[in-house]
Amino acid sequence: MIQRKGIILAGGSGTRLWPITMGVSKQLLPIYDKPMIYYPLSALMLADIREIAIITTSEDQEQFRRLMGDGGQWGLHFTWIVQDRPEGLAQAYLLAEDFLAGAPSVMVLGDNLFFGHGLPELLARATARPSGGTVFGYRVADPQRYGVVDFSAEGTVRGIIEKPVQPPSNYAVTGLYCLDGSAPERAAGIRPSARGELEITHLLESYLAEGLLSVETMGRGYAWLDTGTHESLLDAGNFVRTLQARQGLQMGCPDEIAYLKGWIDRAALRARADLFGKTGYGAYLASLLS
């Protein structure tokens, strides 16, 4: 069985968050007590993915490298890929083609946060499929803002409609995509849309046309947060703060995930706890050892 690889798309200019992103990548902004990119990284780790490509701009890459290194501190391996110009989400599969080398993948957008009991199992169902593609649908009150899943009466997927005036359902497609090894080849066959981008929706339609697209729905108890605006950025930080304060557990903690999965040992976790000193994050890591 070919090991599935991960992609974090962390490029773009973050213009919707200007002026705060004029000097720093959006995915390096804090979501309460951790950098934003920790959260999508954690989602890939929960899917048992250890080989990950991080796609970002040439200007921002050094900052990401300073933060995350080569991934070895978490038992991971990072490959760094430059995106000179953002040309749509499907472009990520063209940029990562050599990295993937025919392997299936899970791609997550660098500004998306996922939380919920049962999330590892949900991801496991998707990654266990040997072929085709899987997307994750999340119920929203305002589906007109998103790509929306059109379900048949039997519950199968008929289509994905981008920002429909009359939404066929309330299930939006999240920024998490589980695709087989044909994704780069399919992306190469996509023509730019009217706005000049390689649309992820068109890539997914190629799977759907062959009956190879599945949707895993996230029901009650799941949280999907997109941090693309000032309001949603604040909402995400407040959500993480409230959750951690109430439960005493960290959300989006790659050090904890790596330790619990056995990818790093006690000594490595102790070194990470010492690195963060007297911060709440460091104290939490130390508590895992006791």
Side-chain angles (χ1 to χ4, degrees):
M1 182 178 177
I2 299 176
Q3 183 64 41
R4 197 172 288 266
K5 297 181 180 181
I7 302 171
I8 301 177
L9 185 53
S13 54
T15 53
R16 288 191 297 165
L17 288 171
W18 278 10
I20 58 176
T21 52
M22 294 182 78
V24 64
S25 170
K26 171 173 64 174
Q27 292 83 9
L28 292 173
L29 294 177
I31 302 296
Y32 184 47
D33 59 349
K34 293 175 291 294
M36 184 186 298
I37 197 170
Y38 271 31
Y39 298 89
L41 172 64
S42 294
L44 294 181
M45 295 174 70
L46 289 174
D48 288 323
I49 292 174
R50 301 179 68 176
E51 193 170 349
I52 299 169
I54 302 175
I55 301 176
T56 186
T57 67
S58 57
E59 294 83 3
D60 295 325
Q61 189 180 107
E62 184 54 38
Q63 291 179 306
F64 280 99
R65 284 178 177 270
R66 187 163 62 248
L67 171 69
M68 304 173 73
D70 62 3
Q73 71 273 24
W74 299 309
L76 307 175
H77 180 267
F78 293 149
T79 295
W80 297 91
I81 298 175
V82 169
Q83 183 186 46
D84 291 321
R85 187 172 66 180
E87 297 178 342
L89 302 186
Q91 182 196 24
Y93 294 96
L94 301 180
L95 297 173
E97 184 173 11
D98 290 343
F99 161 76
L100 293 174
S105 62
V106 178
M107 182 174 78
V108 60
L109 304 188
D111 62 356
N112 276 217
L113 284 70
F114 297 90
F115 176 80
H117 179 70
L119 181 59
E121 292 77 14
L122 189 73
L123 295 169
R125 284 201 300 272
T127 57
R129 296 187 178 105
S131 62
T134 303
V135 294
F136 298 82
Y138 186 85
R139 184 178 176 86
V140 295
D142 50 352
Q144 298 88 347
R145 296 176 49 212
Y146 304 94
V148 177
V149 182
D150 180 11
F151 293 101
S152 70
E154 294 76 28
T156 58
V157 185
R158 287 190 302 204
I160 297 174
I161 305 173
E162 190 67 28
K163 298 181 180 178
V165 177
Q166 294 183 320
S169 78
N170 282 83
Y171 280 90
V173 177
T174 71
L176 186 62
Y177 310 93
C178 185
L179 303 182
D180 65 16
S182 70
E185 181 182 355
R186 292 173 184 271
I190 295 174
R191 301 188 63 169
S193 64
R195 60 178 184 167
E197 295 193 355
L198 301 178
E199 305 289 353
I200 191 71
T201 304
H202 295 168
L203 176 58
L204 298 176
E205 285 172 351
S206 76
Y207 284 95
L208 182 60
E210 299 174 22
L212 295 174
L213 185 67
S214 302
V215 175
E216 292 282 352
T217 56
M218 296 178 170
R220 293 175 183 264
Y222 282 94
W224 168 50
L225 303 170
D226 176 351
T227 57
T229 66
H230 298 99
E231 294 80 8
S232 59
L233 187 68
L234 180 61
D235 288 343
N238 286 332
F239 176 85
V240 172
R241 179 183 181 276
T242 300
L243 185 76
Q244 292 183 174
R246 292 286 288 177
Q247 294 192 321
L249 299 171
Q250 279 279 331
M251 175 181 169
C253 182
D255 295 281
E256 179 180 22
I257 297 170
Y259 178 63
L260 294 179
K261 286 185 173 292
W263 298 347
I264 61 173
D265 59 18
R266 290 178 61 88
L269 185 64
R270 168 58 64 188
R272 294 289 289 173
D274 292 345
L275 174 66
F276 294 110
K278 297 181 180 179
T279 66
Y281 189 78
Y284 179 78
L285 298 183
S287 75
L288 297 175
L289 295 165
S290 60

